[in-house]
Amino acid sequence: MFIGRTDEIKTLEKLYNKNKFQLVIMYGRRRIGKTTLINEFIKNRKAIFFTAQEANDFLNLEMFSNKVYDFFNIPETTGSFNNWHDAFMFIADKAKEERFILAIDEFPYIAECNKSVKSILQNVIDHEFKNTSLYIILCGSQISFMENEVLGYRSPLFGRRTAQMKINGFNYYNASLMMEGFTIEDKVKIYASIGGTPHYLAQIDQSFSFEENIREL
C-alpha cells in the first residue's frame, strides 16, 4: 500500500499535465522511498523505468537497450545501441510519435562510468527532446553527485531541469500510518528511535511491542 508523498505526487502530476517536455531531477538518500514514489507515479502510464547498476558502461547500455526494446516490442536480438547518443536519439524519435515517461534510477552509476553521458544528454535535450512531450525523471541516491554533477553550475545539464525534488523521510504523521496497531506512545517511541525512513518503518512487526521490535531489529 502506498503511503504519504501527497505533495510529491501532486508536483509530478502537475508537470505531467502540462503536456510538454519535462526533466525532473529527483534525489535523496537510500531507502527513503524514491523508487516507490516513481513506481506510484508511472502506474497506469506509458513508461520506461530503468534502474542502472553499479556495473561498467557496456552492461548498463545493454540493459537499457533491452528495457527500451521491450517497451516498444522490438526483439532483443536487434542488439544493443552502439552508444548512449544513439539510444537517446532513438528515444527522441519515438517521443515525436507518442508521449511516454523515461525514468532512470541511480543515474550516477551511468554518469560515473561514462563521463560524456551528461554532455550527450544535454545536447539531445537542446536539439531533440525539447521539441517533444517526453517526461524524463533522473533519480539518484548519491546526494552530493546529484547536487554538484547534475544540478550544479558546472554540469552540462545545468539549467535544463524543469523541476528538482529532494526526497526526505516521512514526518511523524505519515510515519504513524505505517504503525497501525501501536499505541500513540509506542508510535512516538518508534519514530524517535528510527525516524521516518519508510524502509526501516516497514520492518516493524505489529505483533511485537516497541521493546521487542527494537531488540529484534
Side-chain angles (χ1 to χ4, degrees):
M1 181 176 66
F2 185 76
I3 292 175
R5 304 299 184 202
T6 304
D7 292 340
E8 290 88 344
I9 288 290
K10 283 182 179 178
T11 297
L12 294 170
E13 295 276 2
K14 183 178 180 180
L15 293 169
Y16 187 84
N17 291 335
K18 290 183 178 181
N19 200 34
K20 63 180 182 180
F21 173 72
Q22 301 291 342
L23 173 60
V24 178
I25 307 300
M26 182 185 297
Y27 63 104
R29 62 188 181 84
R30 299 185 188 283
R31 304 299 190 179
I32 212 67
K34 303 182 300 299
T35 302
T36 302
L37 172 60
I38 294 174
N39 274 319
E40 178 67 17
F41 170 64
I42 67 175
K43 188 169 61 179
N44 302 320
R45 290 191 170 98
K46 291 184 176 181
I48 302 170
F49 190 4
F50 172 67
T51 301
Q53 304 294 313
E54 196 170 7
N56 60 47
D57 188 55
F58 175 82
L59 288 175
N60 271 315
L61 182 58
E62 181 179 56
M63 291 184 288
F64 181 78
S65 301
N66 291 338
K67 276 284 185 179
V68 173
Y69 291 161
D70 182 61
F71 180 75
F72 291 109
N73 296 313
I74 298 172
E76 291 185 7
T77 52
T78 303
S80 302
F81 294 110
N82 292 325
N83 49 61
W84 287 102
H85 179 267
D86 288 354
F88 292 141
M89 286 299 294
F90 179 86
I91 294 291
D93 287 339
K94 290 295 185 180
K96 294 172 184 176
E97 302 172 2
E98 62 177 320
R99 190 173 197 215
F100 55 93
I101 299 167
L102 171 63
I104 301 180
D105 200 359
E106 299 300 352
F107 177 70
Y109 287 151
I110 298 174
E112 288 177 330
C113 286
N114 188 326
K115 303 299 183 182
S116 65
V117 163
K118 290 177 291 180
S119 293
I120 292 170
L121 185 54
Q122 171 247 311
N123 184 266
V124 179
I125 288 172
D126 290 350
H127 298 285
E128 302 292 337
F129 287 160
K130 72 176 183 180
N131 299 317
T132 73
S133 58
L134 180 65
Y135 193 120
I136 301 178
I137 300 174
L138 296 183
C139 184
S141 300
Q142 299 178 32
I143 295 177
S144 61
F145 185 95
M146 296 299 289
E147 290 182 337
N148 298 323
E149 302 297 326
V150 178
L151 293 169
Y153 180 76
R154 296 181 180 276
S155 169
L157 294 174
F158 178 78
R160 271 74 187 182
R161 62 104 176 92
T162 55
Q164 66 187 68
M165 304 175 67
K166 185 175 182 180
I167 308 303
N168 297 307
F170 282 160
N171 59 23
Y172 171 74
Y173 172 76
N174 285 320
S176 70
L177 298 178
M178 298 184 69
M179 306 179 210
E180 290 185 2
F182 289 97
T183 65
I184 293 177
E185 182 180 355
D186 279 350
K187 287 180 181 181
V188 172
K189 287 181 180 178
I190 292 170
Y191 188 71
S193 298
I194 65 175
T197 301
H199 177 73
Y200 299 155
L201 292 167
Q203 311 306 310
I204 298 295
D205 190 330
Q206 296 178 9
S207 66
F208 289 172
S209 68
F210 162 74
E211 289 78 8
E212 289 171 332
N213 269 291
I214 294 300
R215 183 166 59 248
E216 290 295 321
L217 295 174

